[in-house]
Amino acid sequence: MNENPRVLVTPSEIAEIAGVSRGAVTNWRKRPVSPPFPQPASGTQGKLLYDKADIIEWLDARKHGDQSASTPDSLWTALNKLPTALPATAYGELALALCCAHSLRSGEQAHADDPFGQLRELASAATDRDPAWTIVAEILSEHHAFLGENDNGKAVIAALDTIPDTQLSDAVDTVLHRMAGPLGRIAGYGMNEHGVTGSRIATLLAALASDARGTIYDPACGIGETLTAIAKTRTTDPQLGDVRIIGHDINEDAIRIARMRALLVDVPATFNATDVLKEDPDPELRADTIVCEPPFGVPWEPAISDQRWAYGVPSPKNADLAWIQHALAHLTPSGRAYIITPPSTLYSVVHAPIRSALVKRGCVESIILLPPKMHLHTSIPLAVWVLRQPTNPVDAVLFIDASDVTTPEKHAHTWLTTGKSDEAATALIPIVDLLANDSILNPRRWTTPHTEAHPETVVARYHGTHRTLHAALETLNETTTPQLDELTTVPRITTIKELAEHGIIAIELGKRAPTSQSNIVTARDIREGLPAQSGRSAGKDCTQAGDILVTTTLPINAVIDHHGGRTVGPNVYRIRVNDTRQCNPEYLAACLTGSWNTRFATGGAAQRISIRDLEIPLVMIDEQHRVAATVRQTQQLAQKAAAVAQAASDVSSAILDMARYGAS
């Protein structure tokens, strides 16, 4: 462990140390507090860095460092106060080892002189009755020189003593979750990419396996998130009986953590580091329940003679269906497997031969399509395959489209138990129909949309869209055609540069503002329309009513900020008209987007224009007012016409739905 007396931390890390929100740290920095908040030690205005020792001293003085002392956050706070920066993985392993050893004290008072050493001795003694405790003893021995010979260990143990035994697992999960930030995504699969703490997928799989008995197996267990969630559920329901938990994963660090998590929840489990796709580590293993959230779309090197690939050898470019076949090879005749895959496995032509073989043999019991963002690292709607052995085949597949369900993890077990759902669209489709359609298993292909399944709902939607269309047409018909009287002034062609040089306008390019600041205008806001304000910002850098906000990446966009009080972000120009007797802001904004200005564009794919080169045909001020008013009326007409087009499209869709669902 390398000594580093001057550790620098960001405001986000300060929030974690203090156990508060990032907004609280922002308030400490910007508002008068006593004692004063420490000055930055380094960094830029956009990324300030502070001396960790100064922050801890200030927190102690403010007594914020102890504000979470009776919660699971207190262990993370205490570890963060250590004067030496530990590697991100060390925080998780050390927290687990400490909590596991602490659970052995069984009410015994901590040794005043060496509480850390006491925990190390307890862990060492436990290895005699269970070799799994060896990892705990090794980790505590590794850190003994740092935590056992000074006040560092006492502070950490003191924080640990405030946590009830029933919350030790939550305290560890807090540390593991916090360490996920600096770790990022680890290459390969295992810890922190698949099976992170707080995973909704793990919660879903644990719910599906909540009544499992016998042997429970996860061939890509990561840090054991799903298996730990299942174990926690079972400890609250002793009637479920004892189970045998087995986990495999390619990541050795993840397996170490999984082993200690099992110790902490006091559930016997066997975890081994192995690459199950390369070689089956236990061909004789048969599990009653298999849960798996494997890595998606990873390349691999299949051994084509492996007996597991009974339904076909998956492509070397994608192992998704190899995980499904591995699970089937290890199921008991009456067992169930719940495997997470990306949606492409349900309909991709590449997967079709193996998919058809699985369907034909009756292995696919159900497919659940999940909503987007269930997984930490992807927003695509994943799928759950519910599988059984071909010795106990099905003759129809239950499809559940839960892509619009907010919390499928709360309902999935009931859906599979009853075959029905009030929240999702369902359909039971015979295997013969699936085989006749290339075994496409996308629930959206087979289910009736849940929100439009009832004829009365479709009829109500039709009448609603028809009323909207009628109202939009009336509004459009009431609009007069904009007319511009003949202009008498010959325009003088000037440029933004010239207007600025004469002081008629002032130009300023936006800067990157702190993310905590509100009302920041981005280039996207200029293209799509200024959002509603959450208040008004003040200061010389903020907009005033009438300022023009411009982006110069083609196509040029310009809007008027009619209210002011916004902060201009990067790649956005603010133009302020100083002399409205010579220049109408609305006219100027319209001219900036004129077709003649596109000839100044330079660059490749994203063409830009220098804002100072933009030409403005300057006419007399009264004619500027008339042109601006006519352009405004034309834009309003376009908006009303667009509303009619959208309403007509909605009516057309509703009419087709009436035909589809037999509504009248």
Side-chain angles (χ1 to χ4, degrees), residues 21 112 156 181 205 208-209 234 316 367 395 432 465 470 487 497 627 641:
S21 67
V156 173
L205 291 175
L208 292 173
R234 302 187 70 82
I367 299 290
D395 56 10
V432 292
T465 57
H470 182 73
L487 299 178
K497 177 182 178 180
V627 170

Side-chain angles (χ1 to χ4, degrees), residues 418-464:
T418 64
K420 301 177 181 179
S421 172
D422 292 331
E423 302 83 16
T426 63
L428 189 64
I429 306 299
I431 283 179
V432 292
D433 292 345
L434 298 175
L435 293 174
N437 287 272
D438 299 322
S439 296
I440 294 176
L441 301 182
N442 187 353
R444 290 178 175 172
R445 165 69 175 78
W446 299 103
T447 59
T448 300
H450 189 264
T451 57
E452 300 177 352
H454 303 292
E456 57 270 24
T457 302
V458 176
V459 171
R461 177 170 173 258
Y462 165 74
H463 288 303

Side-chain angles (χ1 to χ4, degrees), residues 97 100-102 104 116-141:
C100 286
H102 189 275
L104 295 172
F116 186 87
Q118 179 191 17
L119 295 186
R120 183 169 62 91
E121 292 173 2
L122 289 171
S124 298
T127 60
D128 294 336
R129 63 177 184 272
D130 188 347
W133 285 94
T134 302
I135 300 175
V136 177
E138 289 176 352
I139 293 174
L140 295 182
S141 295

Side-chain angles (χ1 to χ4, degrees), residues 508-528:
E508 183 175 341
L509 177 62
K511 301 176 182 178
R512 188 170 299 279
T515 56
S516 59
Q517 191 165 336
S518 61
N519 297 323
I520 300 175
V521 180
T522 66
R524 181 176 180 178
D525 295 331
I526 306 302
R527 294 191 301 270
E528 299 180 0

Side-chain angles (χ1 to χ4, degrees), residues 258-283:
R259 287 172 178 163
M260 288 188 285
R261 296 185 81 191
L263 288 175
L264 192 56
V265 295
D266 195 25
V267 172
T270 301
F271 292 98
N272 289 306
T274 179
D275 186 347
V276 300
L277 296 186
K278 185 176 182 180
E279 183 178 1
D280 195 340
D282 190 356

